[in-house]
Amino acid sequence: MAKYSMETRAVHSGESRGKIGGAVILPIFQTSTYLYNGESSYEDLRYIRLNNTPNHDAVCRKLASLEEAETALVTASGMAAISDALLSFLEKGDHLLAQNCIYGGTRDLIVRDLPRYGIEVDFLEDLSRESLEKGLRSNTKVLLAESITNPLMQVENLVEAAKFSREKGLVSMIDNTFASPCNFRPVSIGFDLVLHSCTKYINGHSDLVAGAVIGKDEHIRKINHRNIHYGATLDPHACFLLHRGMKTLPLRMGQHNGNAASLAEFLAEHPGVERVYYPGLPGSGGHEETKRLFSGFGGMLSIELKDAAEKTTQFLNRLELPVEAPSLGGVESLITRPSLTSHAGLTAAERKQAGIGDYLVRISTGIESAKDLVADFKQALD
Ligand code: PLP
């Protein structure tokens, strides 16, 4: 399948060759357990929690193919993927280096939960060589980054982060949720593990919660072992829905990319807007890095309005198309204030330190028409 384009692989990769009962679409195997067949190890038994039903196998093969990696593990949520991966490579006395501005749930996990297991954490000022050297300790084991950060849409020096990790023997992990494999494949620049909240673009329809860890077979086996014990397994029905959603990922991402670009260009020129955070705008932080590494700038952007404290609520109320809700990556546009939703678990001081203003507005552009979205934002701003 590797010779085929992303669009073709999204449809055909991972599918079982022998069509079961003649079914064109892989049916849902809604059975918790399978006949014992002489297996000699626990992980080879067939049982939903062991992540090895036909529905798991198909969705994992497709995920690995899209990320151009060896193997994938699908998990019960994005947070399950992140916690499974971190806890597989960190233990008491170890040190984690993490990018500064990341998803609030991830930040909460590493600041509030990991220290309870004796794991130390430091945030990097940025991903420059200098900051990486400054942050490194003799017990540093893992580096964690996001390809496009949530919610400030920064694309930092990812090549340097992967290279540094390799040189220093760290396991490099990157949350690629915001970019999606259509826009960026981190394994190609040397990251060891790619993490996803499949809840977002990969499923794309805001109707399930799922996660994935993708990378080398030896790493994924280790993480699967943890996942089996922690029990954060995806149900076959959710695997089926996720697998279905993935088939249209490249088509959807094309529309998301285009819509965000149109909206960002419009918002950057509007007198009511103070600042637009979007890696596709020339002059924005990470624009050159994104142009070099990515094949699209993604469907996410954030903005701050002028006189934000007085205007933001009114603006949100006046929008007709985007639904005011947390999460992202669905076919419908979503809009939210991270200080009240995705990053509400952080203290005000932590948000300030990460550069997340109280009135920052994050937009997940859906697949509606760009013309309609721009017109809606225009009427709300005007
Ligand atoms: N990673 C990123 C970048 C996210 O935005 C989110 C959720 O918003 C997660 C991980 C967690 O995903 P889930 O809600 O599927 O656990």
Side-chain angles (χ1 to χ4, degrees), residues 76-80 82 102-106 146 148-150 175-178 196-200 208-211 327-328 342 362:
S77 66
M79 284 311 298
I82 294 165
I102 50 175
Y103 168 57
T106 310
E146 288 184 359
I148 302 178
T149 63
N150 183 357
D175 185 329
N176 197 29
T177 301
F178 272 39
H196 274 286
S197 167
C198 301
T199 314
K200 320 297 183 197
L208 62 77
V209 172
S327 200
L328 60 120
S342 59
R362 193 188 74 185

